[in-house]
Amino acid sequence: MSQQASELFDNFQELTPSEFFRKNKQMLGFTGKIRSLTIVFHELITNSFDAAEEAGILPEIEIALKRVDKDHYVLRHSDNGPGIPESYIMKVYCTMFAGSKFRNIQSRGQQGLGCSGCVLLSQMTTGEPARVKSAWEEDGEFKGTDLEFKMDVKKNKGMLLKRRKYEPQNTGVCIELDFKDVSYSLAEQGAFEYIRRTMIGNPHAKITFRDPTGHKYIFNRAADVVPILPKEVLPHPRDITADDLIFMAKHTNKRRFRSLLTSSLSRMSNKRLNEIEEISGIDLNKRPKNMKWEEVESIADAFSKMEFMAPPTSGLIPIGDKQIEDGMKEILEPEFISTTTRKPVTYRGGIAFIIEASIAYGGKAGRLVNDQKKSEVMRFANRVPLTFDQGSCAITEALKSIDWKRYGLKDLDNVPLTIFVNMISTQVPYLSTGKQSIAPEPEIIHEVRQATMKVARKLQKHLKAKKTAKEEALRSKIFEKYVPVIIREAAILAETEVPEFQDVLAKVTRRSLADLLGEKTQNKENIVDSENSEEELKEELDNNVKDINEDNIKDNIDDDAEDEVNIEDNIEDNSENIDDSVEKGTKRKDTQQTFEDLG
Amino acid sequence: MSQQASELFDNFQELTPSEFFRKNKQMLGFTGKIRSLTIVFHELITNSFDAAEEAGILPEIEIALKRVDKDHYVLRHSDNGPGIPESYIMKVYCTMFAGSKFRNIQSRGQQGLGCSGCVLLSQMTTGEPARVKSAWEEDGEFKGTDLEFKMDVKKNKGMLLKRRKYEPQNTGVCIELDFKDVSYSLAEQGAFEYIRRTMIGNPHAKITFRDPTGHKYIFNRAADVVPILPKEVLPHPRDITADDLIFMAKHTNKRRFRSLLTSSLSRMSNKRLNEIEEISGIDLNKRPKNMKWEEVESIADAFSKMEFMAPPTSGLIPIGDKQIEDGMKEILEPEFISTTTRKPVTYRGGIAFIIEASIAYGGKAGRLVNDQKKSEVMRFANRVPLTFDQGSCAITEALKSIDWKRYGLKDLDNVPLTIFVNMISTQVPYLSTGKQSIAPEPEIIHEVRQATMKVARKLQKHLKAKKTAKEEALRSKIFEKYVPVIIREAAILAETEVPEFQDVLAKVTRRSLADLLGEKTQNKENIVDSENSEEELKEELDNNVKDINEDNIKDNIDDDAEDEVNIEDNIEDNSENIDDSVEKGTKRKDTQQTFEDLG
């Protein structure tokens, strides 16, 4: 009965990363037909953008998705990037955990799994090889190669099937992959929506997309500048563990630990080095290879006790308010938009990040569900749209914790509103290999809240002004309707002629309206030079402004003087709330599951 | 400005799995101090159980957690399993993606990441080596070795530091690891709670745990039988893709595709093979290596069109109603318990699974939060407690979709209730490497609902009987109180002696109560031979039974006759609801994020 240990180990195997993910493709985000295809778009677009920008090229991508059979598609994706030298092509597309992005630099990709994951999925569902044409510059010449290959999952390597040289006119990569068990959909959170959001986060890019029906969408550039290339920055001491120091010491060719520190970490000066020696009691002139764990641990411990300047932020390039608004306007044509970029701060002590938030209202903002406008949230990390797993994401948690009623949004669900939040960092703390949600670090949640509340306050002012203006318009209309009657009747009573009053009346009523709307309201024209009949306007008002009674309006106006103060108060209040809610959030995560979660 | 492709690839690197997870330890579930330690307990316990059972040994584990410093712990974990032969020890603990469990067998571990993940975390946080003592049987002799080693992450291999042979008296493994940046907590969803739940799912095991305060907990066996060892079953044709067939064809030594199929898949007979040839038009006598993708695709396609017997379920060993109840009673001492095991069914066409559900009420069921009893859900997969990421889990979704009010639980949150759900399968579809939640496959959700509703109905009957009994007890008490007075007064009026009536009265009132409670109520005794004073009883009734008016009770009793029918109706109704909600569930996953999620 009882088996011996040696027999139990007869089956012992070692898998390659490719074999592992072949068995666990859901860990690459490949679950469900629509999601799988969206993840493929995501990986290929992301890679093209990173490569083009690194080479200082304005990205331009052409995608064509053809339907060959029921759920069999052929995807052709070409870019104008710098190309991939032949010797790296199969490594990029067939070796998992391989890539050039394992650096402390702000880039869209981080894990060396994306492209090879797409090739794996293609091969697993169709057995077809990948076709890659790459053109690159080498010693001042354009070189081109056209390869056909499969992935050998047992070896985690490519297997070349065909190879042809060609003479290209420019650089770039074109990859063609077959997929089955995927599906393209406009309505759902699919590939098309992914491209739309990508354009908002990347207004400097151009994407042409031919969908399976043959329809060609051209997403033009809303901005013509290549984003400043983020620089690789040395890690901040606060982000360094004893294990990192040991790892660095083991793989360095520096002779002294001192020079290893200055060459590998940011914010290291002689003064700091002396301070480290003082606090830790470790001689930094020791050879790195001779450093013991206890010693590097004392050094890491000293880091945590010392005051360092914040990490350099030259490595962080936000999209920027203007670019975001250009992108949003191009796609959403909103009636109102407000955008803000926060100052760089850090999470986990030493990883710098920046939060950008924007709010767009009206126009094509929000999304149509059964002909009804609903609000929508667009989450981004380093300009890349995050489209799945929103539940556990820091951005979702932060937005959830905001009391939207304070900002005049009583029924947030049913508003033509798009909220955009982007996190920029050299190291986005993704929660899973699928890279669809950001870990709810307290500092990240705090920044998202602050940024969003700021733009929400701007929106609140706009909505308030708009309501007041509408109310005023109604009064003016009534005024305009009855004043002439009174004048006419008065003239009859006085037995005189009716005087010329129209121009004066119009000036009076409309000037006050214009004042109210201020300069920020973009649909001022619509309201002032209303083409609506009086009845229509009145009806609209009845429907929309029903809930504003005069008292409320007066209160609002009276409050305006105190507005700044109140807002400050709100900020104070909210900051406390955040800490509370963050605290609670973390606790709820760690406590046992109860029916609260099932309510 | 523009960089050439070749420069861009200067940094190209290939990571080993260990290097990858060193950079992404959150993907192994190591996030947060409490969670990290819980995951370590989980991986080590799981591994010991699997090994012991495979060798036909009743598992017995000793765990000691010592606190060395603020957040520095030393964990010592020993088992009585078959041990690990020396040549495999470092592979088990230092090579990621290596293991003996990549088979189609019901086992707790599946991925070859668990133990090596623990060693990685220990090394990353403390720099200390792992200490492993292993004793195993070889050629009828006990052999023992005592190793100290580190993990070389650059090579994904162990690095031996010390080695000592010893002569053991029995088999087993003892591992000692240091950890920092983790924390032990009783109150939160920590290591202690993990052990408690483990005991419920594994009543045949014994665990002794010495906590950091030195307190020793002994969790005794509630059952003395080693679970029947699940057999490895051949995969079912419905679960086989063209890619699987190509993979098998490439790595087989069979000469004919025909024999490859019969030796690798279940439910393959000559009749079936002929059917495959007929439907696909492929000659199965071909050599496996010569099979083209199109050909295996036609074969996989034929599989999906054919009628197969369900997969063999000899590979699935549920815990069993009695064992579950023994485990629950040992830990929860509930007033009421009901358990059910569903028949095996399949998801994704060909992967067999079984759902077991149990509901415990009263006693120590539920959990105490600020001295208040709350309900709790215990999710299991192959007997392993799932303690995190409940949000996206199939079990959570299924329980959420149940209308608990139908089962007499109006305020589900505040009830002394423990719901236990276990999924048994050769292939649990985990959503992430952290293995904490089950993918919400429609078939799994359906089965969890059915099982839970069945035990909920039993609970409903119990609660109904209990309320009626309490109501009746109150009436009896009143009866008992006033009848003597009436008798005494009547005697005085009639000028006779007071007759002996006590025994008769007691018989009458208490018999009707016993009838009401039936045989199923376990706290019958408490109610009948009530030691409570009349006042207490009345007060309790006032508090608890306030909402039962007589009409309700009558209705309930009248309904009893129709109960079976109603339940049938409910099942019908609910089945429809399920499909609806599953449908919706899936859709909501794929649709865009809105503020509904933030509500």
Side-chain angles (χ1 to χ4, degrees), chain B residues 543-593:
Chain B
N543 291 335
N544 294 334
V545 205
K546 217 178 267 169
D547 50 345
I548 319 180
N549 57 47
E550 289 218 349
D551 287 347
N552 273 342
I553 294 173
K554 266 199 204 121
D555 278 349
N556 284 344
I557 295 168
D558 292 351
D559 278 345
D560 264 348
E562 293 171 23
D563 212 354
E564 283 314 302
V565 183
N566 276 338
I567 288 172
E568 288 303 311
D569 280 349
N570 283 350
I571 296 173
E572 287 297 311
D573 281 347
N574 285 336
S575 317
E576 282 176 28
N577 285 346
I578 306 157
D579 293 338
D580 276 350
S581 71
V582 168
E583 192 79 8
K584 270 178 218 151
T586 326
K587 268 188 196 147
R588 205 183 43 222
K589 276 265 144 54
D590 278 332
T591 50
Q592 299 175 320
Q593 180 182 13

Side-chain angles (χ1 to χ4, degrees), chain A residues 13 15 22 27 97 99 111 126-127 180 189 193 243-244 293 297 367 375 412 590-592 594-595, chain B residues 13 15 22 27 97 99 111 126-127 180 189 193 243-244 293 297 367 375 412 590-592 594-595:
Chain A
Q13 283 181 61
L15 300 190
R22 180 179 169 275
M27 290 181 198
F97 296 155
Q111 306 181 332
T126 66
K180 286 191 178 175
Q189 189 163 28
E193 177 64 18
D243 185 51
D244 293 325
W293 177 271
E297 202 174 35
R367 64 193 178 91
S375 57
L412 188 61
D590 278 333
T591 50
Q592 299 176 318
T594 70
F595 278 101
Chain B
Q13 284 180 61
L15 300 189
R22 180 178 169 275
M27 291 181 197
F97 296 154
Q111 305 181 332
T126 66
K180 284 191 179 175
Q189 190 162 27
E193 177 62 20
D243 185 51
D244 293 325
W293 178 271
E297 203 174 35
R367 64 195 177 93
S375 58
L412 189 61
D590 278 332
T591 50
Q592 299 175 320
T594 70
F595 278 100

Side-chain angles (χ1 to χ4, degrees), chain A residues 235-241 265-268 300 303-304 308-309 350:
Chain A
H236 192 264
R238 276 280 165 77
D239 186 30
I240 289 297
T241 63
L265 301 184
S266 64
R267 305 309 187 202
M268 279 295 161
F303 288 167
S304 71
F308 286 100
M309 276 176 68

Side-chain angles (χ1 to χ4, degrees), chain B residues 143-176:
Chain B
K143 303 207 169 176
T145 190
D146 189 351
L147 304 184
E148 228 181 274
F149 51 83
K150 286 195 173 183
M151 179 188 277
D152 183 338
V153 294
K154 279 260 182 213
K155 293 186 182 146
N156 193 32
K157 272 170 57 170
M159 227 167 18
L160 190 65
L161 301 178
K162 280 189 197 161
R163 174 173 179 263
R164 192 181 63 83
K165 284 196 172 186
Y166 74 102
E167 285 182 14
Q169 301 305 309
N170 217 321
T171 64
V173 176
C174 173
I175 178 165
E176 206 177 85

Side-chain angles (χ1 to χ4, degrees), chain A residues 338-580:
Chain A
S338 174
T339 309
T340 192
T341 302
R342 302 276 302 171
K343 293 216 183 78
V345 288
T346 60
Y347 72 91
R348 290 186 200 159
I351 310 173
F353 72 100
I354 294 175
I355 293 293
E356 301 180 281
S358 181
I359 213 161
Y361 181 89
K364 294 186 192 160
R367 64 193 178 91
L368 270 184
V369 179
N370 302 331
D371 283 334
Q372 255 230 299
K373 263 292 167 83
K374 299 272 183 187
S375 57
E376 65 176 345
V377 172
M378 294 189 177
R379 299 173 294 128
F380 291 77
N382 288 343
R383 296 169 173 256
V384 178
L386 310 177
T387 36
F388 301 96
D389 304 339
Q390 72 269 24
S392 38
C393 181
I395 295 176
T396 310
E397 281 209 10
L399 296 183
K400 249 189 206 173
S401 73
I402 292 175
D403 181 5
W404 290 94
K405 291 193 203 81
R406 287 191 180 212
Y407 301 99
L409 296 166
K410 280 179 201 161
D411 182 12
L412 188 61
D413 218 4
N414 298 301
V415 179
L417 191 76
T418 295
I419 297 182
F420 163 102
V421 179
N422 181 34
M423 172 179 180
I424 292 284
S425 180
T426 49
Q427 221 177 300
V428 177
Y430 290 113
L431 278 176
S432 65
T433 23
K435 293 190 297 179
Q436 295 293 319
S437 58
I438 301 172
E441 301 284 340
E443 297 88 348
I444 299 174
I445 291 179
H446 177 85
E447 287 295 304
V448 173
R449 273 181 60 93
Q450 292 302 320
T452 313
M453 290 192 303
K454 187 175 173 191
V455 292
R457 276 194 296 275
K458 295 263 173 68
L459 173 62
Q460 181 185 21
K461 281 197 171 181
H462 165 73
L463 293 176
K464 206 190 276 180
K466 197 176 151 188
K467 277 182 181 177
T468 317
K470 276 191 177 173
E471 183 76 10
E472 197 59 36
L474 178 62
R475 286 193 203 144
S476 303
K477 281 283 169 188
I478 293 166
F479 198 56
E480 282 176 345
K481 190 176 169 184
Y482 292 107
V483 165
V485 177
I486 294 166
I487 292 176
R488 260 194 305 275
E489 293 299 320
I492 292 165
L493 277 175
E495 290 178 359
T496 64
E497 287 242 319
V498 178
E500 194 46 61
F501 62 87
Q502 299 287 6
D503 288 352
V504 180
L505 180 63
K507 262 190 199 159
V508 172
T509 53
R510 287 172 190 189
R511 197 184 51 214
S512 64
L513 247 182
D515 282 354
L516 260 170
L517 285 168
E519 290 176 5
K520 281 173 194 165
T521 314
Q522 309 205 353
N523 66 339
K524 187 168 61 180
E525 302 258 316
N526 288 337
I527 294 171
V528 179
D529 304 331
S530 174
E531 288 166 21
N532 299 337
S533 74
E534 206 167 312
E535 280 68 30
E536 275 173 6
L537 184 66
K538 230 182 142 181
E539 198 182 357
E540 199 192 337
L541 276 162
D542 284 342
N543 291 336
N544 295 333
V545 205
K546 218 179 268 166
D547 51 345
I548 319 179
N549 57 49
E550 289 218 349
D551 287 349
N552 274 342
I553 295 172
K554 267 202 205 119
D555 278 350
N556 285 344
I557 295 169
D558 292 350
D559 278 347
D560 265 347
E562 294 171 20
D563 211 355
E564 284 311 302
V565 182
N566 276 337
I567 288 171
E568 288 303 311
D569 280 349
N570 283 348
I571 296 173
E572 287 297 310
D573 282 347
N574 285 334
S575 319
E576 284 176 28
N577 285 344
I578 306 158
D579 294 339
D580 276 351

Side-chain angles (χ1 to χ4, degrees), chain A residues 67-87:
Chain A
R67 182 186 237 136
V68 185
D69 203 352
K70 203 172 44 121
D71 63 350
H72 182 180
Y73 293 86
V74 176
L75 177 69
R76 194 186 159 89
H77 173 107
S78 357
D79 68 30
N80 64 341
I84 306 172
E86 184 163 0
S87 54

